[in-house]
Amino acid sequence: MTSEKLNPCVDTNQTLGIDQACFSILNLYDKVVNFYSVAHEAYWGIGTLQATLQPLTNRSLVINTKHPLHIYYGVDVPKKEVEYQYCHETYNFKEHGSYGWNISEANLCSHIYVIREPSENYLPIVAALMIYILFAILWGVSDVIIRLIRGKLSPDNIHDISVSSLINYHNVFIYSTVFQDLDRLQDTESVTQPVIRTTRIYSVDTFRGIAILLMIFVNNGGGQYVWFNHSAWYGLTIADLVLPWFAWIMGLTITISKRAELRVTTSRIKITLRCLQRSLILILLGLMLNSIHSKSLNDLRFPGVLQLLAISYFVCATLETIFMKPHTQDSLLQFGQFASYRDILDSWPQWLIMIGILTAHTLITFLLPIPNCRRGYLGPGGPLDHRGDYINCTAGAAGYIDRLIFGSHMYNKTKDSVYGTILPYDPEGLMNTISAILIVYLGVHAGKILLLYYQWNSRVIRWLLWAAFTGIVAGLLCNFQTQEGVIPVSKKMMTLSFVLTCSSLAFLLYAILYFVIDYRQLWSGAPFIYSGTNPIFLYVGHILTKNLFPWAWHIAHPTHAMLLAVNLWTTTLWGIIGYLLYRKNIIITV
């Protein structure tokens, strides 16, 4: 809500901002009426007083349209010192629309009606998508024409263009050795499809490029669309997927890289020390990025995205270094008639450890006693959640542990647009990092499938089965709703249902990318493959240059369209930087 003198619903010299609409309430009572509203997600019986309506008056209010609102009004009852509530209703207001509501003692309330139609704020997304598609078509056509002119491609064999002819990739960073084993190993499965021999798995870089470019886009604001911003507490948006997907594909590359390292060295200790070195470098980079927003060492945030990735990487990479066999031949001969399940049987020690970690995490979450809070609480706390009964219980056991361990050295933004003022918590804190270990290891298992099976359909079917399995388990845990079930879906808490949902979508997306790019060779992976070769450099770079020209610029009167244009330009510019590094064969690793 806003003051009358700055109210664009009253003052024609003012304009509505992003995610705002006008709501005109006609009070036909001969008494004062109190109007309440609260985001539907945060409604548990008590709303927030937004306006006091005088008798027989019309009041125009500016309301927020980012989330569906639960609204109602209250009328004081004389001599009883109570307030009766009427017309509880949840309504999804649209940006820049104008709405009306009539309330009276005789008719209580009418349905909310539209005075002025809202704007179609999603049209800039459609326009941007069409522009990118047109550019991709022009790029592809121009590439074919150039090759025709240079005589490298005849009109008769245009259809023979493959990944290898479209991508000149000289420097191999993450590579597969499974095809080297194929020549000296007879699989128990009958080979019905030709094996595509290559030195690189392009779908890996493409998946990683999708994750990093989406991360850059949403970190810069995502046009301030609710779909491209993190969920308030429960639920799942596109922005919530990027970190889990990045962690998942990191797990897949662990399998490939550790198998390659074990084939060229027998010292598992040296490999473990290299894992430790890389993790420490990532932690140091994360602390450096956190220091941008710190005034002194006293409030330097210790957790962070790179720290979460570093710890989860070290745990999973170390487990693979200790237990992985350097040759697929060993596992195939060992399991005999059960070789079709060797991706699971080959990793039983790692899975036992993962189950132990998951069990410990679950027991701590639901059984750890927290002062003045109920056990197993997973909500945001604050004055609006559950009528304020858990006002000091933000993030339950996870928040309590982080506040106990990190103190002031954690994420300290406590003002929440939906739930009011909440306690400090860290979305990349200790408990969430433990959850991320499972995401990474599910990616590791996806890599095991890639290494242990040689037929494309054996791989894709298993990835799809894992997508279905993790998705169904996640749905059962949350009762296929966002705030329901034993464990609701929450990115803030990195709950088990959230982890399994993101992993399910990762398995599905990667299966599609592998089939389209590596097997059928219908797509080269461009432009995402370019960014996927230098993801850490792009991540660090976009944090350091955030809001700096030419990556971004200030907009005096922002709209969704303007902010979307700036955020897409930022993402595109980093995509171009990734392309230039790719063309120069420059790969920056840690």
Side-chain angles (χ1 to χ4, degrees), residues 366-384:
F366 287 96
L367 299 182
L368 181 70
I370 305 172
N372 303 317
C373 297
R374 71 171 175 84
R375 297 182 182 184
Y377 178 71
L378 298 171
L384 297 179

Side-chain angles (χ1 to χ4, degrees), residues 59-85:
R59 179 81 179 272
S60 293
L61 307 171
V62 177
I63 58 174
N64 189 286
T65 63
K66 187 175 286 290
H67 306 282
L69 291 181
H70 185 89
I71 63 173
Y72 62 95
Y73 69 90
V75 179
D76 292 330
V77 179
K79 300 180 181 179
K80 292 187 178 181
E81 296 183 355
V82 296
E83 184 182 61
Y84 285 172
Q85 298 176 0

Side-chain angles (χ1 to χ4, degrees), residues 444-462:
V444 168
H445 192 79
K448 290 283 183 68
I449 294 173
L450 186 66
L451 289 182
L452 295 176
Y453 301 94
Y454 304 127
Q455 295 175 269
W456 72 271
N457 52 353
S458 296
R459 296 169 175 173
V460 171
I461 289 174
R462 283 171 173 81

Side-chain angles (χ1 to χ4, degrees), residues 127-298:
L129 182 61
M130 296 302 295
I131 291 173
Y132 276 102
I133 291 176
L134 178 61
F135 179 79
I137 293 173
L138 292 175
W139 180 278
V141 171
S142 63
D143 181 69
V144 173
I145 292 174
I146 291 173
R147 291 174 182 272
L148 282 171
I149 293 174
R150 292 178 178 178
K152 294 183 178 180
L153 183 67
S154 65
D156 295 332
N157 63 359
I158 292 178
H159 63 280
D160 291 331
I161 300 175
S162 64
V163 174
S164 59
S165 64
L166 291 178
I167 300 179
N168 184 20
Y169 208 152
H170 302 292
N171 196 330
V172 178
F173 171 44
I174 299 297
Y175 57 90
S176 172
T177 60
V178 296
F179 306 109
Q180 299 174 9
D181 290 332
L182 186 59
D183 293 333
R184 54 188 182 80
L185 178 63
Q186 293 296 323
D187 199 345
T188 56
E189 301 170 345
S190 61
V191 179
T192 58
Q193 297 291 341
V195 177
I196 302 171
R197 298 176 181 271
T198 180
T199 57
R200 190 171 185 91
I201 305 171
Y202 298 105
S203 54
V204 172
D205 286 330
T206 304
F207 189 106
R208 193 163 43 199
I210 292 173
I212 191 63
L213 289 180
L214 268 178
M215 187 179 293
I216 293 173
F217 177 63
V218 301
N219 283 353
N220 280 276
Q224 293 303 311
Y225 286 100
V226 66
W227 318 297
F228 299 134
N229 282 264
H230 292 295
S231 53
W233 194 270
Y234 301 105
L236 189 68
T237 66
I238 294 176
D240 295 329
L241 292 172
V242 292
L243 178 57
W245 279 4
F246 195 87
W248 187 90
I249 198 65
M250 181 178 69
L252 191 149
T253 60
I254 285 174
T255 307
I256 301 172
S257 61
K258 295 310 150 195
R259 170 64 58 84
E261 291 180 51
L262 286 170
R263 287 171 62 89
V264 298
T265 180
T266 57
S267 177
R268 297 179 187 257
I269 295 178
K270 289 183 179 180
I271 299 176
T272 303
L273 290 177
R274 282 198 292 268
C275 295
L276 177 61
Q277 179 185 10
R278 188 184 188 201
S279 299
L280 292 176
I281 293 174
L282 286 174
I283 291 174
L284 179 60
L285 285 174
L287 292 174
M288 290 171 59
L289 295 180
N290 286 353
S291 67
I292 297 175
H293 307 289
S294 299
K295 298 179 180 179
S296 66
L297 291 177
N298 293 329

